[in-house]
Amino acid sequence: MAIQEEPHQHFWRPLLAEAMGTLIFVWVVLGASTPGGPPERTPPPVLQPALAAGLAAVGLAHCFREISGAQANPALTMAFLCTRKLGALRAGGYILAQCLGAILASGIFYLVLPAVVFSYNAGQALGMEVLSTFQLTFTIFAVEDQRRREVGELGSLAIGFSVTAGALAGTFSGGSMNPARSLGPAVVTGIWEHHWVYWLGPTLGAVLGGVTYEFLFASSASREKLVA
Amino acid sequence: MAIQEEPHQHFWRPLLAEAMGTLIFVWVVLGASTPGGPPERTPPPVLQPALAAGLAAVGLAHCFREISGAQANPALTMAFLCTRKLGALRAGGYILAQCLGAILASGIFYLVLPAVVFSYNAGQALGMEVLSTFQLTFTIFAVEDQRRREVGELGSLAIGFSVTAGALAGTFSGGSMNPARSLGPAVVTGIWEHHWVYWLGPTLGAVLGGVTYEFLFASSASREKLVA
Amino acid sequence: MAIQEEPHQHFWRPLLAEAMGTLIFVWVVLGASTPGGPPERTPPPVLQPALAAGLAAVGLAHCFREISGAQANPALTMAFLCTRKLGALRAGGYILAQCLGAILASGIFYLVLPAVVFSYNAGQALGMEVLSTFQLTFTIFAVEDQRRREVGELGSLAIGFSVTAGALAGTFSGGSMNPARSLGPAVVTGIWEHHWVYWLGPTLGAVLGGVTYEFLFASSASREKLVA
Amino acid sequence: MAIQEEPHQHFWRPLLAEAMGTLIFVWVVLGASTPGGPPERTPPPVLQPALAAGLAAVGLAHCFREISGAQANPALTMAFLCTRKLGALRAGGYILAQCLGAILASGIFYLVLPAVVFSYNAGQALGMEVLSTFQLTFTIFAVEDQRRREVGELGSLAIGFSVTAGALAGTFSGGSMNPARSLGPAVVTGIWEHHWVYWLGPTLGAVLGGVTYEFLFASSASREKLVA
């Protein structure tokens, strides 16, 4: 199956980028604002969501800047509209996509995760690991893609900042995003409880993140390699 | 109405830049030093204003470096004067502009906000959202402008750092700067209290920030597009 | 003894890079998650390991990106495998190397350090100083090597971030990594307890880090200078 | 008086750079590790000195990398010696200079400041402001100098990080480094106590920092402008 750049992609892909960008941004900020766990309900220090938001924004700029401008913010889109840098139709589409992304992120965060069947904590942790690693891997694939085309700017920083943003967002599950990081202590301490979560979650998130980037957002050079 | 580069702009624009830069800087630092809200009056950890100051400085360097050097600090201006990098008249003008900007920022911070009529908390929050988003949008427009002229350096970082600086500055209003980020949780949790603040404030701040940059500070290439 | 690039190095060096990268990453995260010392057992704020992980990732990207891609994460390797950017054999080798590195880091962290004979605290501190400084020096040598070949990107940041990551990782030993930083206060306050630790540990770690980089990972230009 | 590049400067200037670099580094770390003030004696969170160290290192790399390599660390110098990147005589000189710088920083920090006559708190605050602003201005002059020669890398970041490092180091005096930032609240709140400290300290520090850089470390292009 060969993928070709269809004309309608020029319309839909930026909308999808704005929806996904806002989803990731809102989800990171919500995750980083969560109290540390059921026993202690004190909110985290203000610095935590503030840093998570800024560091995630650096990552998102790498992922979506070339596609939609990575605005992820209706207020910004209004400013671009009022200074004639964006047409009314496109601005309207962006704002709608941003609102959908934000509502979806909040829905996942507040509703879906607690409702997972098998185990409350393991299910939440799994969901957080999937999303944190999705966000990280997506950024890494975008950085690699840009490096291949020598467009990239500050790739290592974007990746490092996504690691911190993901770790802050996934606070109450441990924010591992990395099976090896969980395997080491398990082997040494002998504590294997919920260990599968830290293999399944990050791997699922990473594979989904990589495949999503390659099929939906990668420059054609990178995509052709995939479907060859 | 066509805007042309007038000779007197070479004198007034750097002064305006120093005043605005110092206004934004002082306001961010004051905001990030505020106790978290009326119930808990404990001051924030030292790290919060320190990081807000440094990250805001990175954003301001992008906004005003080409125009005035983005000193925003009378002590620095004195150092440039003493090393003959700045004339006495210009240095005097800079210091005056910086002091005016700092006094204005403090005035807004300590006096105007609490006096807003309709609702103490909503009014303060609105003011903080307007200023936080103004600062963020201003930085984004400066980065885009520099990218267009290929002058930009580290644009994504400046934007991400402005997000964190704005979030720290706007701590007690939530530092949203983004209607979508507030809409998502409102839809899911059904809590809509003061929701209009998070649409009006950021949108007002972003439009003001964008228009101010375009009309007063943008390179002519960018400005012509606006007034075409 | 002249070192030449042997064919088998193309197979083993990336594996070694992944093992070492994961070892350093896991060790930094474990160190930054440790409670501050025996008297106070409260865990550190979430921000600490999250920042340590992200900042260490920036440093590792500089050290190993050219050699193995600096994935240091089985989930990422799976994503590269699923998008056909990495062959099955190599991916398997990477994951094995990552798991070994992570287990080794955890083993050093949980088992070896407390068992040191002469003194519990001094031994732990020595070990932490060796590893923190090893990590820092390794990054500095990689940055210098890349600067010599004009490949480097953001070297100063990678070094500064490694300082912070190492200081967070070595929290309970003081995270000095620098004999001068320990000498100054000792001279002035007259407190010389365990002072030798802060000369032996950092020096051992730095020399090991520098020699390891030069002999195992440096570009040939840099290595030739060493063995001339 | 015309300044010319004398041969002996090639020997002494790197030594001076190492001494000054270590002085600034050790002083920033000591300042950022100080408890917040006489009433509350709880040490600051670990993150504070760790971040101050890393961010100061980024600034120092800009200031001294071209002159001495900005090692500021005897352990690093040993690693460069052992890998034959530095001769024995020069390495010995560096280590001596580093130790002197560190002892001087500690001496200023522990002994000189409390002994100031007129007022304990105002004197300490003045000293901290002078040193914090010295460090910041020195970095700004180095960045400007490198920009003029198009050598600079990441100048805005180095400046922003120096702002944060200086603010963390000067915690207990407020870490203002900026008269305007202190003037604004004073005008609005009417609290003028010790206000002169925040004009004298930063201005003294900035002028000293700027003049020191220009006379001792600037590239000749920049220095000639000064003495013309």
Side-chain angles (χ1 to χ4, degrees):
Chain A
M1 173 188 78
I3 289 178
Q4 278 185 322
E5 188 84 33
E6 300 290 334
H8 67 259
Q9 288 197 319
H10 292 298
F11 180 73
W12 286 109
R13 210 193 284 171
L15 292 186
L16 190 58
E18 285 300 317
M20 266 195 62
T22 316
L23 189 155
I24 291 177
F25 183 77
V26 170
W27 171 78
V28 164
V29 173
L30 289 178
S33 311
T34 328
E40 24 159 341
R41 303 301 302 170
T42 47
V46 164
L47 201 50
Q48 198 166 308
L51 266 178
L55 302 181
V58 175
L60 291 176
H62 273 75
C63 295
F64 300 118
R65 193 180 63 210
E66 291 180 295
I67 298 165
S68 71
Q71 303 174 6
N73 185 340
L76 272 184
T77 304
M78 289 297 292
F80 282 111
L81 174 67
C82 292
T83 52
R84 302 195 196 175
K85 289 172 190 294
L86 210 63
L89 185 69
R90 189 166 280 260
Y94 274 25
I95 291 178
L96 212 68
Q98 289 157 359
C99 291
L100 283 177
I103 293 170
L104 199 58
S106 308
I108 296 172
F109 195 80
Y110 286 109
L111 300 179
V112 178
L113 284 183
V116 171
V117 183
F118 45 98
S119 160
Y120 181 78
N121 279 325
Q124 278 194 321
L126 187 71
M128 294 307 274
E129 291 295 331
V130 169
L131 280 164
S132 274
T133 320
F134 181 93
Q135 169 260 145
L136 171 61
T137 311
F138 199 91
T139 305
I140 290 173
F141 272 71
V143 166
E144 291 298 322
D145 186 17
Q146 287 162 20
R147 270 190 191 135
R148 227 167 293 132
R149 291 173 295 129
E150 306 200 345
V151 180
E153 169 201 22
L154 303 177
S156 316
L157 281 185
I159 293 174
F161 288 0
S162 293
V163 169
T164 297
L168 288 175
T171 292
F172 71 90
S173 74
S176 166
M177 299 181 288
N178 189 337
R181 176 207 182 304
S182 303
L183 176 72
V187 165
V188 174
T189 63
I191 303 172
W192 292 91
E193 202 190 357
H194 298 318
H195 186 70
W196 60 274
V197 166
Y198 300 99
W199 278 91
L200 184 60
T203 304
L204 209 63
V207 171
L208 280 175
V211 169
T212 304
Y213 184 82
E214 289 299 309
F215 272 98
L216 293 179
F217 296 106
S219 62
S220 24
S222 175
R223 212 159 43 238
E224 260 159 33
K225 196 183 159 198
L226 179 69
V227 298
Chain B
M1 172 189 78
I3 290 179
Q4 277 185 322
E5 189 83 34
E6 300 291 334
H8 66 260
Q9 288 197 321
H10 291 298
F11 180 73
W12 286 110
R13 212 193 283 171
L15 292 186
L16 190 58
E18 285 301 316
M20 265 195 63
T22 316
L23 190 155
I24 292 176
F25 183 77
V26 170
W27 171 77
V28 164
V29 172
L30 288 179
S33 311
T34 329
E40 22 158 342
R41 302 301 302 171
T42 47
V46 164
L47 200 51
Q48 197 166 306
L51 266 179
L55 301 181
V58 175
L60 291 175
H62 273 75
C63 294
F64 299 118
R65 194 178 61 210
E66 290 180 296
I67 298 163
S68 71
Q71 304 174 5
N73 185 341
L76 272 184
T77 304
M78 289 297 292
F80 282 113
L81 174 68
C82 292
T83 52
R84 302 194 197 176
K85 289 172 189 294
L86 209 64
L89 186 71
R90 189 165 280 260
Y94 275 25
I95 291 178
L96 213 69
Q98 290 156 359
C99 289
L100 283 177
I103 293 170
L104 200 58
S106 308
I108 297 172
F109 195 80
Y110 287 110
L111 301 179
V112 178
L113 285 182
V116 171
V117 183
F118 46 96
S119 160
Y120 181 78
N121 279 325
Q124 278 194 319
L126 187 71
M128 295 306 275
E129 290 295 332
V130 169
L131 279 166
S132 274
T133 320
F134 181 94
Q135 168 260 145
L136 171 62
T137 311
F138 200 90
T139 305
I140 289 173
F141 271 72
V143 166
E144 291 298 323
D145 185 16
Q146 288 162 18
R147 270 189 191 135
R148 226 167 294 132
R149 292 173 295 130
E150 306 199 347
V151 179
E153 171 201 20
L154 303 176
S156 316
L157 281 185
I159 293 174
F161 287 0
S162 293
V163 169
T164 298
L168 288 175
T171 292
F172 71 91
S173 74
S176 166
M177 299 180 287
N178 189 337
R181 175 205 181 306
S182 303
L183 177 71
V187 166
V188 174
T189 63
I191 303 172
W192 293 90
E193 203 189 356
H194 297 318
H195 186 70
W196 62 272
V197 166
Y198 299 99
W199 279 91
L200 184 60
T203 304
L204 209 64
V207 171
L208 280 175
V211 169
T212 303
Y213 184 81
E214 290 299 310
F215 272 98
L216 294 178
F217 295 106
S219 61
S220 25
S222 177
R223 211 159 45 236
E224 260 159 33
K225 196 181 160 199
L226 180 69
V227 298
Chain C
M1 176 188 80
I3 289 178
Q4 278 185 321
E5 188 84 34
E6 300 291 332
H8 66 258
Q9 289 198 320
H10 292 299
F11 181 73
W12 286 110
R13 210 192 284 171
L15 292 186
L16 190 58
E18 286 300 317
M20 266 195 63
T22 317
L23 190 156
I24 291 176
F25 183 77
V26 169
W27 172 78
V28 164
V29 173
L30 288 178
S33 313
T34 328
E40 25 159 341
R41 301 302 302 170
T42 47
V46 164
L47 200 51
Q48 198 166 307
L51 266 179
L55 301 181
V58 175
L60 291 176
H62 274 73
C63 294
F64 300 118
R65 194 179 62 210
E66 291 180 294
I67 297 164
S68 71
Q71 303 173 6
N73 185 340
L76 272 184
T77 305
M78 289 296 293
F80 282 111
L81 174 68
C82 291
T83 52
R84 302 193 198 178
K85 288 172 191 296
L86 209 63
L89 186 70
R90 189 166 279 261
Y94 274 25
I95 291 177
L96 212 68
Q98 289 157 358
C99 290
L100 282 177
I103 293 170
L104 200 58
S106 308
I108 296 171
F109 195 79
Y110 287 109
L111 300 179
V112 177
L113 284 182
V116 172
V117 182
F118 46 97
S119 161
Y120 181 77
N121 279 324
Q124 279 193 318
L126 187 72
M128 294 307 274
E129 290 295 331
V130 170
L131 280 165
S132 275
T133 319
F134 181 94
Q135 169 262 146
L136 171 61
T137 311
F138 200 90
T139 305
I140 289 173
F141 271 71
V143 166
E144 292 298 323
D145 187 16
Q146 287 162 20
R147 269 188 192 137
R148 227 167 293 132
R149 292 173 295 129
E150 306 201 346
V151 181
E153 170 201 21
L154 303 177
S156 316
L157 281 185
I159 292 173
F161 288 0
S162 292
V163 170
T164 298
L168 288 174
T171 292
F172 70 92
S173 75
S176 166
M177 301 181 285
N178 189 337
R181 175 206 183 301
S182 303
L183 176 72
V187 166
V188 175
T189 63
I191 304 172
W192 293 91
E193 203 189 357
H194 298 317
H195 186 69
W196 61 274
V197 166
Y198 299 100
W199 278 91
L200 184 60
T203 304
L204 209 64
V207 171
L208 280 175
V211 169
T212 304
Y213 184 81
E214 289 299 309
F215 273 98
L216 293 178
F217 296 106
S219 62
S220 24
S222 175
R223 213 160 40 236
E224 260 158 34
K225 195 182 160 200
L226 179 68
V227 297
Chain D
M1 175 188 78
I3 289 179
Q4 277 185 321
E5 189 83 35
E6 300 291 333
H8 66 258
Q9 288 198 322
H10 292 298
F11 180 74
W12 287 109
R13 209 192 284 169
L15 292 186
L16 190 58
E18 285 301 316
M20 266 195 63
T22 316
L23 189 155
I24 291 177
F25 183 77
V26 169
W27 171 78
V28 164
V29 172
L30 288 178
S33 311
T34 327
E40 23 160 341
R41 302 301 303 170
T42 47
V46 165
L47 200 50
Q48 198 166 306
L51 266 178
L55 301 181
V58 175
L60 291 176
H62 273 75
C63 295
F64 300 118
R65 193 180 62 210
E66 291 180 294
I67 297 165
S68 71
Q71 303 173 6
N73 185 341
L76 273 183
T77 304
M78 289 297 292
F80 282 112
L81 174 68
C82 291
T83 52
R84 302 192 197 177
K85 289 172 190 294
L86 209 63
L89 186 72
R90 189 166 280 261
Y94 275 25
I95 291 178
L96 212 69
Q98 289 156 358
C99 289
L100 283 177
I103 292 170
L104 200 58
S106 308
I108 297 171
F109 195 78
Y110 287 109
L111 300 180
V112 178
L113 285 182
V116 172
V117 183
F118 45 95
S119 160
Y120 181 78
N121 279 325
Q124 279 193 318
L126 187 71
M128 294 308 274
E129 290 295 332
V130 170
L131 280 165
S132 274
T133 320
F134 181 94
Q135 169 261 146
L136 171 62
T137 311
F138 199 91
T139 305
I140 290 173
F141 272 72
V143 165
E144 292 299 322
D145 186 15
Q146 287 162 20
R147 269 187 191 138
R148 229 168 291 133
R149 291 173 296 129
E150 305 201 346
V151 179
E153 170 202 21
L154 303 175
S156 316
L157 281 185
I159 293 173
F161 288 180
S162 292
V163 169
T164 297
L168 288 175
T171 293
F172 70 94
S173 74
S176 166
M177 300 179 287
N178 189 336
R181 175 205 182 302
S182 303
L183 177 71
V187 166
V188 175
T189 62
I191 303 172
W192 292 90
E193 203 189 357
H194 297 319
H195 186 69
W196 62 274
V197 167
Y198 299 100
W199 278 90
L200 183 60
T203 304
L204 209 63
V207 171
L208 280 176
V211 169
T212 304
Y213 184 81
E214 290 299 310
F215 272 97
L216 293 179
F217 296 106
S219 63
S220 25
S222 176
R223 214 160 42 235
E224 261 159 34
K225 195 181 161 199
L226 179 68
V227 297

mmCIF file of all heavy atoms in Angstrom, chain A residues 19-43:
data_model
loop_
_atom_site.group_PDB
_atom_site.id
_atom_site.type_symbol
_atom_site.label_atom_id
_atom_site.label_comp_id
_atom_site.label_asym_id
_atom_site.label_seq_id
_atom_site.Cartn_x
_atom_site.Cartn_y
_atom_site.Cartn_z
ATOM 1 N N ALA A 19 -5.574 19.326 16.998
ATOM 2 C CA ALA A 19 -6.318 18.494 17.961
ATOM 3 C C ALA A 19 -5.345 17.656 18.797
ATOM 4 O O ALA A 19 -5.430 17.620 20.038
ATOM 5 C CB ALA A 19 -7.309 17.596 17.232
ATOM 6 N N MET A 20 -4.384 16.994 18.130
ATOM 7 C CA MET A 20 -3.435 16.147 18.863
ATOM 8 C C MET A 20 -2.534 16.982 19.766
ATOM 9 O O MET A 20 -2.226 16.594 20.890
ATOM 10 C CB MET A 20 -2.568 15.351 17.885
ATOM 11 C CG MET A 20 -3.124 13.988 17.615
ATOM 12 S SD MET A 20 -1.848 12.953 16.835
ATOM 13 C CE MET A 20 -0.582 12.909 18.089
ATOM 14 N N GLY A 21 -2.084 18.130 19.253
ATOM 15 C CA GLY A 21 -1.210 18.987 20.056
ATOM 16 C C GLY A 21 -1.915 19.450 21.327
ATOM 17 O O GLY A 21 -1.348 19.402 22.419
ATOM 18 N N THR A 22 -3.170 19.888 21.186
ATOM 19 C CA THR A 22 -3.892 20.363 22.365
ATOM 20 C C THR A 22 -4.196 19.198 23.307
ATOM 21 O O THR A 22 -4.132 19.351 24.533
ATOM 22 C CB THR A 22 -5.196 21.070 21.945
ATOM 23 O OG1 THR A 22 -4.922 21.920 20.836
ATOM 24 C CG2 THR A 22 -5.756 21.893 23.079
ATOM 25 N N LEU A 23 -4.518 18.024 22.730
ATOM 26 C CA LEU A 23 -4.739 16.843 23.569
ATOM 27 C C LEU A 23 -3.511 16.566 24.429
ATOM 28 O O LEU A 23 -3.610 16.408 25.654
ATOM 29 C CB LEU A 23 -5.056 15.646 22.670
ATOM 30 C CG LEU A 23 -5.539 14.354 23.326
ATOM 31 C CD1 LEU A 23 -6.357 13.535 22.317
ATOM 32 C CD2 LEU A 23 -4.414 13.492 23.880
ATOM 33 N N ILE A 24 -2.340 16.503 23.801
ATOM 34 C CA ILE A 24 -1.113 16.198 24.551
ATOM 35 C C ILE A 24 -0.830 17.291 25.586
ATOM 36 O O ILE A 24 -0.545 17.017 26.753
ATOM 37 C CB ILE A 24 0.090 16.044 23.579
ATOM 38 C CG1 ILE A 24 -0.084 14.777 22.743
ATOM 39 C CG2 ILE A 24 1.406 16.006 24.339
ATOM 40 C CD1 ILE A 24 0.997 14.570 21.699
ATOM 41 N N PHE A 25 -0.976 18.568 25.166
ATOM 42 C CA PHE A 25 -0.669 19.673 26.080
ATOM 43 C C PHE A 25 -1.579 19.643 27.308
ATOM 44 O O PHE A 25 -1.102 19.698 28.452
ATOM 45 C CB PHE A 25 -0.815 21.009 25.338
ATOM 46 C CG PHE A 25 -0.444 22.198 26.171
ATOM 47 C CD1 PHE A 25 0.883 22.509 26.406
ATOM 48 C CD2 PHE A 25 -1.417 23.003 26.731
ATOM 49 C CE1 PHE A 25 1.233 23.605 27.178
ATOM 50 C CE2 PHE A 25 -1.082 24.100 27.508
ATOM 51 C CZ PHE A 25 0.247 24.398 27.735
ATOM 52 N N VAL A 26 -2.890 19.545 27.067
ATOM 53 C CA VAL A 26 -3.846 19.560 28.184
ATOM 54 C C VAL A 26 -3.637 18.341 29.072
ATOM 55 O O VAL A 26 -3.668 18.425 30.306
ATOM 56 C CB VAL A 26 -5.289 19.626 27.660
ATOM 57 C CG1 VAL A 26 -6.293 19.386 28.776
ATOM 58 C CG2 VAL A 26 -5.530 20.972 27.007
ATOM 59 N N TRP A 27 -3.357 17.204 28.454
ATOM 60 C CA TRP A 27 -3.163 16.008 29.253
ATOM 61 C C TRP A 27 -1.903 16.119 30.127
ATOM 62 O O TRP A 27 -1.918 15.730 31.301
ATOM 63 C CB TRP A 27 -3.101 14.775 28.343
ATOM 64 C CG TRP A 27 -2.697 13.607 29.110
ATOM 65 C CD1 TRP A 27 -3.468 12.871 29.945
ATOM 66 C CD2 TRP A 27 -1.380 13.091 29.196
ATOM 67 N NE1 TRP A 27 -2.712 11.919 30.544
ATOM 68 C CE2 TRP A 27 -1.442 12.029 30.101
ATOM 69 C CE3 TRP A 27 -0.169 13.426 28.597
ATOM 70 C CZ2 TRP A 27 -0.311 11.295 30.415
ATOM 71 C CZ3 TRP A 27 0.948 12.695 28.909
ATOM 72 C CH2 TRP A 27 0.861 11.649 29.805
ATOM 73 N N VAL A 28 -0.837 16.643 29.580
ATOM 74 C CA VAL A 28 0.389 16.814 30.381
ATOM 75 C C VAL A 28 0.130 17.744 31.566
ATOM 76 O O VAL A 28 0.523 17.458 32.704
ATOM 77 C CB VAL A 28 1.549 17.354 29.505
ATOM 78 C CG1 VAL A 28 2.684 17.899 30.370
ATOM 79 C CG2 VAL A 28 2.078 16.275 28.586
ATOM 80 N N VAL A 29 -0.559 18.878 31.310
ATOM 81 C CA VAL A 29 -0.802 19.842 32.380
ATOM 82 C C VAL A 29 -1.712 19.231 33.446
ATOM 83 O O VAL A 29 -1.463 19.379 34.652
ATOM 84 C CB VAL A 29 -1.413 21.139 31.810
ATOM 85 C CG1 VAL A 29 -1.831 22.062 32.924
ATOM 86 C CG2 VAL A 29 -0.405 21.829 30.907
ATOM 87 N N LEU A 30 -2.759 18.520 33.025
ATOM 88 C CA LEU A 30 -3.641 17.873 34.011
ATOM 89 C C LEU A 30 -2.872 16.846 34.834
ATOM 90 O O LEU A 30 -3.009 16.777 36.055
ATOM 91 C CB LEU A 30 -4.825 17.201 33.305
ATOM 92 C CG LEU A 30 -5.867 18.145 32.716
ATOM 93 C CD1 LEU A 30 -6.956 17.352 32.008
ATOM 94 C CD2 LEU A 30 -6.478 19.018 33.802
ATOM 95 N N GLY A 31 -2.055 16.031 34.141
ATOM 96 C CA GLY A 31 -1.287 15.007 34.849
ATOM 97 C C GLY A 31 -0.333 15.613 35.864
ATOM 98 O O GLY A 31 -0.201 15.126 36.989
ATOM 99 N N ALA A 32 0.303 16.697 35.456
ATOM 100 C CA ALA A 32 1.295 17.321 36.345
ATOM 101 C C ALA A 32 0.643 18.106 37.475
ATOM 102 O O ALA A 32 1.323 18.530 38.402
ATOM 103 C CB ALA A 32 2.212 18.243 35.533
ATOM 104 N N SER A 33 -0.679 18.324 37.405
ATOM 105 C CA SER A 33 -1.386 19.032 38.469
ATOM 106 C C SER A 33 -2.036 18.082 39.466
ATOM 107 O O SER A 33 -2.639 18.529 40.447
ATOM 108 C CB SER A 33 -2.487 19.926 37.875
ATOM 109 O OG SER A 33 -1.997 20.702 36.821
ATOM 110 N N THR A 34 -1.944 16.770 39.218
ATOM 111 C CA THR A 34 -2.599 15.797 40.079
ATOM 112 C C THR A 34 -1.900 15.663 41.416
ATOM 113 O O THR A 34 -0.664 15.618 41.447
ATOM 114 C CB THR A 34 -2.550 14.381 39.440
ATOM 115 O OG1 THR A 34 -2.580 14.519 38.043
ATOM 116 C CG2 THR A 34 -3.682 13.518 39.940
ATOM 117 N N PRO A 35 -2.653 15.571 42.509
ATOM 118 C CA PRO A 35 -2.027 15.206 43.782
ATOM 119 C C PRO A 35 -1.313 13.869 43.649
ATOM 120 O O PRO A 35 -1.708 13.004 42.867
ATOM 121 C CB PRO A 35 -3.205 15.117 44.740
ATOM 122 C CG PRO A 35 -4.267 15.956 44.120
ATOM 123 C CD PRO A 35 -4.083 15.814 42.638
ATOM 124 N N GLY A 36 -0.264 13.696 44.427
ATOM 125 C CA GLY A 36 0.674 12.585 44.269
ATOM 126 C C GLY A 36 0.134 11.173 44.417
ATOM 127 O O GLY A 36 0.829 10.225 44.085
ATOM 128 N N GLY A 37 -1.070 10.976 44.900
ATOM 129 C CA GLY A 37 -1.609 9.631 45.060
ATOM 130 C C GLY A 37 -2.741 9.652 46.075
ATOM 131 O O GLY A 37 -2.923 10.656 46.776
ATOM 132 N N PRO A 38 -3.519 8.564 46.158
ATOM 133 C CA PRO A 38 -4.662 8.526 47.078
ATOM 134 C C PRO A 38 -4.320 8.850 48.537
ATOM 135 O O PRO A 38 -5.045 9.623 49.162
ATOM 136 C CB PRO A 38 -5.181 7.093 46.932
ATOM 137 C CG PRO A 38 -4.736 6.667 45.573
ATOM 138 C CD PRO A 38 -3.408 7.354 45.355
ATOM 139 N N PRO A 39 -3.193 8.355 49.116
ATOM 140 C CA PRO A 39 -2.984 8.657 50.538
ATOM 141 C C PRO A 39 -2.802 10.154 50.789
ATOM 142 O O PRO A 39 -3.494 10.728 51.621
ATOM 143 C CB PRO A 39 -1.710 7.890 50.892
ATOM 144 C CG PRO A 39 -1.235 7.220 49.660
ATOM 145 C CD PRO A 39 -2.127 7.575 48.533
ATOM 146 N N GLU A 40 -1.908 10.790 50.056
ATOM 147 C CA GLU A 40 -1.628 12.207 50.275
ATOM 148 C C GLU A 40 -2.334 13.015 49.188
ATOM 149 O O GLU A 40 -2.029 12.895 48.028
ATOM 150 C CB GLU A 40 -0.124 12.484 50.258
ATOM 151 C CG GLU A 40 0.675 11.429 49.481
ATOM 152 C CD GLU A 40 2.022 11.895 49.016
ATOM 153 O OE1 GLU A 40 2.237 13.102 48.948
ATOM 154 O OE2 GLU A 40 2.844 11.040 48.677
ATOM 155 N N ARG A 41 -3.264 13.877 49.591
ATOM 156 C CA ARG A 41 -4.065 14.616 48.622
ATOM 157 C C ARG A 41 -3.593 16.042 48.450
ATOM 158 O O ARG A 41 -4.317 16.868 47.916
ATOM 159 C CB ARG A 41 -5.544 14.613 49.040
ATOM 160 C CG ARG A 41 -6.146 13.241 49.210
ATOM 161 C CD ARG A 41 -6.063 12.426 47.937
ATOM 162 N NE ARG A 41 -6.725 13.068 46.795
ATOM 163 C CZ ARG A 41 -6.638 12.653 45.548
ATOM 164 N NH1 ARG A 41 -5.892 11.605 45.258
ATOM 165 N NH2 ARG A 41 -7.262 13.270 44.586
ATOM 166 N N THR A 42 -2.411 16.385 48.946
ATOM 167 C CA THR A 42 -1.947 17.756 48.758
ATOM 168 C C THR A 42 -1.573 17.980 47.305
ATOM 169 O O THR A 42 -0.934 17.135 46.687
ATOM 170 C CB THR A 42 -0.708 18.035 49.622
ATOM 171 O OG1 THR A 42 0.203 16.953 49.442
ATOM 172 C CG2 THR A 42 -1.077 18.164 51.080
ATOM 173 N N PRO A 43 -1.999 19.118 46.755
ATOM 174 C CA PRO A 43 -1.648 19.393 45.366
ATOM 175 C C PRO A 43 -0.150 19.554 45.216
ATOM 176 O O PRO A 43 0.541 19.901 46.177
ATOM 177 C CB PRO A 43 -2.382 20.697 45.058
ATOM 178 C CG PRO A 43 -2.598 21.340 46.376
ATOM 179 C CD PRO A 43 -2.719 20.228 47.379
#
